[in-house]
Amino acid sequence: MMDMQSMQTFLSTTVSDLAVKILAAVAFWIVGRWLIGRVIAVMQAAMNRNAVDPTLTKYLGSIVAITLNITLVLGILGYFGIQTTSFAAMLAGVGVAIGAAWSGMLGNFAAGAFMLVLQPFKVGDFVTIGGVTGTVRELGLFGTTLLTPDNVQTIVGNGKAFSDTIQNFSSMPVRRVDRTAQLAGSVDPLDAIARFKAAVAQIPNVATSPAPEVNLLDFNLVGCVISVRPYTHTDHYWQVYFDTNEAIARVAKEAGWPAPTPSAIHHIVPAA
């Protein structure tokens, strides 16, 4: 009877202690996560006040957040009596086995560090990296987050982004919009060039320096081909693109030009 009572007392005491530790660990985790969030927010706010580059701000914020979360986990494990030195030794042993799986992650981390130093792009730039085109939202520890023109969030691994061709459409003050106008053979190309120049100059957000380029581009069986190339800031690219198309159509309608249609030449050879 005493043995059963002692066992019940032991179990109740052990369960009570374990429950207290679990509740304390949960409390530590919640409070710790809240404090980490506050630290990151204060750090990023201070960096923003000092006009630190947003890309660097988010990258350092990710590093500090991961470091503090690891410290929090180790602290909770220590509270449960788990030797963190033994835990670290175990991780080191397991790390050898999973090193191959982590090699890609470490490569992405290193590429992110290089991009942070070299700065081929920054947050807010419109770029093409790793075959994906969009606006940079975040340069993370292992991947770069883009928002594509069709409003899809896409993450490209930093290793792929750094090893592939990077096109930054925001690095220059303006970029060129390339459009062409096919004319019928009866249309005077010099008159068309003058009309297109006047029409493009009226389009909002078209840069005056460099000035829009309107030139005789090519000849074909239909007639002449005119290139219409205004410049604009990348934020207004699609607006200028579509407005240029509308200006070409409007000029052709107002001038009364015939529709460009292929012409066929028939040679009649008399019989011998």
Side-chain angles (χ1 to χ4, degrees), residues 22-45:
I22 291 176
L23 291 175
V26 172
F28 287 155
W29 175 256
I30 295 174
V31 174
R33 290 284 296 171
W34 180 82
L35 288 174
I36 290 173
R38 293 297 302 164
V39 169
I40 300 301
V42 170
M43 184 191 74
Q44 291 183 339

Side-chain angles (χ1 to χ4, degrees), residues 250-264:
R250 184 171 58 254
V251 167
K253 180 179 180 180
E254 292 175 352
W257 295 335
T261 55
S263 58

Side-chain angles (χ1 to χ4, degrees), residues 53-57 59-60 63 104-123 125 127-130 132 136 138-146 155-168:
D53 181 63
T55 306
L56 177 62
T57 300
Y59 194 82
L60 292 180
I63 293 177
M105 298 292 288
L106 294 176
N108 286 330
F109 178 81
F114 275 115
M115 288 194 294
L116 187 63
V117 173
L118 299 177
Q119 288 192 324
F121 55 81
K122 62 182 183 298
V123 172
D125 284 353
V127 300
T128 294
I129 57 173
V132 179
V136 179
E138 181 180 1
L139 174 59
L141 291 178
F142 304 106
T144 300
T145 303
L146 302 178
I155 299 176
V156 180
N158 287 336
K160 180 176 178 59
F162 192 61
S163 63
D164 206 345
T165 301
I166 297 175
Q167 289 182 301
N168 189 339

Side-chain angles (χ1 to χ4, degrees), residues 194-224:
R195 290 174 182 267
F196 286 144
K197 283 184 177 180
V200 171
Q202 302 302 315
I203 295 176
N205 299 312
V206 169
T208 56
S209 180
E213 301 172 1
V214 182
N215 299 290
L216 180 55
L217 179 66
D218 201 1
F219 300 92
N220 53 37
L221 294 177
V222 178
C224 298

Side-chain angles (χ1 to χ4, degrees), residues 71-95:
T71 303
L72 176 62
V73 171
L74 292 178
I76 293 175
L77 291 175
Y79 174 75
F80 275 97
I82 300 175
Q83 295 294 327
T84 55
T85 54
S86 302
F87 184 72
M90 180 186 68
L91 285 179
V94 175

Side-chain angles (χ1 to χ4, degrees), residues 145-234:
T145 303
L146 302 178
L147 185 65
T148 62
D150 54 344
N151 204 38
V152 176
Q153 179 174 294
T154 306
I155 299 176
V156 180
N158 287 336
K160 180 176 178 59
F162 192 61
S163 63
D164 206 345
T165 301
I166 297 175
Q167 289 182 301
N168 189 339
F169 301 101
S170 301
S171 60
M172 303 300 291
V174 294
R175 58 183 293 200
R176 193 176 73 186
V177 177
D178 288 352
R179 305 306 300 139
T180 58
Q182 174 69 64
L183 304 180
S186 60
V187 177
D188 181 1
L190 300 182
D191 176 61
I193 289 174
R195 290 174 182 267
F196 286 144
K197 283 184 177 180
V200 171
Q202 302 302 315
I203 295 176
N205 299 312
V206 169
T208 56
S209 180
E213 301 172 1
V214 182
N215 299 290
L216 180 55
L217 179 66
D218 201 1
F219 300 92
N220 53 37
L221 294 177
V222 178
C224 298
V225 179
I226 306 297
S227 64
V228 184
R229 297 169 175 170
Y231 289 83
T232 186
H233 189 274
T234 190

